[in-house]
Amino acid sequence: MDFDAYFTRVDGETYAPTMATSSPWGEHLQHGGPPTALLVHAVEKNHPRDDVRVARVASEFLGIIPREPVRVRTRVVRPGRRIEMTEATAEIGGREVLTARVWRIAVQHAGSVPAGVTPPDVPPPLPDAEDAWLSQFGYGRSIEWRYVYGMGALGPAAVWSRQRVPLVEGEPIAPVERAIVVADSANGISGELPMGEWLFVPPSLSLAFERYPRGEWVLLDARTTLGGDGIGVTSARVADRDGYFGVASQALYVERRAAPQVAQ
C-alpha cells in the first residue's frame, strides 16, 4: 500500500492528505469521508470534554476538495453544559472547501434511561471473503470491504468496512471517526444509475449517533431514491457487530454526464 494514513500533520492547524484520500472522480481530489472525519478529529482535540459525546455531524461541501494541504480551524458556536455546538472549517489555498457543525450532548450514567419499546434490529453477519471491487482508487484501497449484498450492482447495498490506516499518521483513530470516514460512501454504493453515465453529487452529509461504534468493523446499509427532477436522497443505517448505532443522509444533485466529444 502506498500510504500509511489519510493525513500527515504539518503543524498545529495544517494536514497533508495522502493518496488514501483520493476520490473515484480523480486522484487530485479528496473523497468527502476523510476530511469530514478530520474536522471532527480537530474539534475533539481542540475542545476536549470527557462529559459529552458527538451526537450529530452535519458537513457541507463547498466545492471540490483538492488533494492539497488542509488548514483546519475550530470554534465553539453554542457553549452549553448539557448540549454544545462546535464548528470546524477546512481551508485549501485560502478558500473554504468544507465546514462541519458538531453537536455534542452530555452523557448520563449507564441505565439512567430505560430501554424503549422497540426491540433492536440485528445487523447481518460479517461475510468471510474480502471484496476488491473498490480497490481502483486510493480511498477504496484504504478500506477492507465485505459486501452483504449489492456489490457492483445498481440499487440498495449493504457493506461491512474496516479501515486499513489511521486518520492522522501516528495518532489512533477514534471510533466516531471510523463511522464518518465510511458514511460519505453511502450514495456511491447504492447508486440507482450507472456512474459512468450519471453524476449524483452530495453537497452535504448528516450523521447522527445513538452511540459510538465498537470494534473495527462498520456496516453501511444504504438506499438511494430519485425524484425525477434532478434531486435525490440517500439514507443509510450504520451498525457495528453489536447492533445499529446511527443513521446518515445525503441530498443529491443528479445530472446526466456530458457525452464525450469525438474528434473530427
Side-chain angles (χ1 to χ4, degrees):
M1 192 173 298
D2 52 353
F3 41 75
D4 296 318
Y6 291 102
F7 297 93
T8 59
R9 184 183 293 278
V10 178
D11 57 38
E13 290 187 335
T14 309
Y15 302 81
T18 72
M19 280 293 295
T21 67
S22 63
S23 162
W25 307 111
E27 289 189 353
H28 64 292
L29 302 176
Q30 292 189 57
H31 189 280
T36 298
L38 181 65
L39 294 191
V40 177
H41 176 87
V43 164
E44 295 279 79
K45 183 179 186 304
N46 295 343
H47 311 280
R49 287 184 60 179
D50 295 332
D51 59 330
V52 296
R53 186 170 67 228
V54 173
R56 180 176 180 266
V57 176
S59 63
E60 315 295 341
F61 304 112
L62 306 180
I64 63 171
I65 306 177
R67 194 167 56 81
E68 299 174 10
V70 182
R71 183 182 184 185
V72 178
R73 296 180 175 180
T74 66
R75 68 187 181 107
V76 177
V77 178
R78 190 269 195 192
R81 182 173 60 86
R82 292 178 295 182
I83 301 176
E84 173 191 82
M85 176 190 280
T86 56
E87 181 181 70
T89 302
E91 296 179 1
I92 295 179
R95 178 177 69 88
E96 291 188 3
V97 296
L98 174 64
T99 65
R101 286 196 160 184
V102 182
W103 283 103
R104 299 195 294 183
I105 297 178
V107 179
Q108 303 174 52
H109 64 82
S112 60
V113 177
V117 298
T118 304
D121 291 341
V122 178
L126 178 70
D128 292 332
E130 175 184 347
D131 296 313
W133 185 62
L134 295 175
S135 63
Q136 302 93 332
F137 55 100
Y139 171 82
R141 295 197 306 276
S142 75
I143 297 172
E144 179 180 351
W145 307 91
R146 297 192 186 183
Y147 273 81
V148 178
Y149 65 88
M151 182 181 71
L154 297 177
V159 60
W160 285 98
S161 65
R162 179 170 62 178
Q163 287 158 234
R164 304 180 192 273
V165 295
L167 184 66
V168 179
E169 186 177 21
E171 300 180 25
I173 187 166
V176 67
E177 296 164 5
R178 290 186 182 278
I180 297 170
V181 165
V182 73
D184 191 52
S185 300
N187 70 301
I189 67 168
S190 65
E192 289 288 314
L193 299 169
M195 186 177 293
E197 301 174 26
W198 292 86
L199 294 171
F200 34 95
V201 180
S204 64
L205 169 67
S206 176
L207 183 58
F209 297 91
E210 171 191 327
R211 60 171 175 81
Y212 287 168
R214 306 182 187 114
E216 296 181 315
W217 289 97
V218 173
L219 173 74
L220 199 60
D221 192 345
R223 175 182 295 270
T224 294
T225 57
L226 305 177
D229 61 354
I231 299 177
V233 172
T234 295
S235 57
R237 300 180 71 196
V238 192
D240 57 24
R241 300 182 77 173
D242 290 339
Y244 290 91
F245 62 82
V247 294
S249 64
Q250 299 165 296
L252 301 177
Y253 166 74
V254 185
E255 181 183 60
R256 184 183 290 275
R257 289 176 178 268
Q261 299 297 313
V262 179
Q264 299 296 321

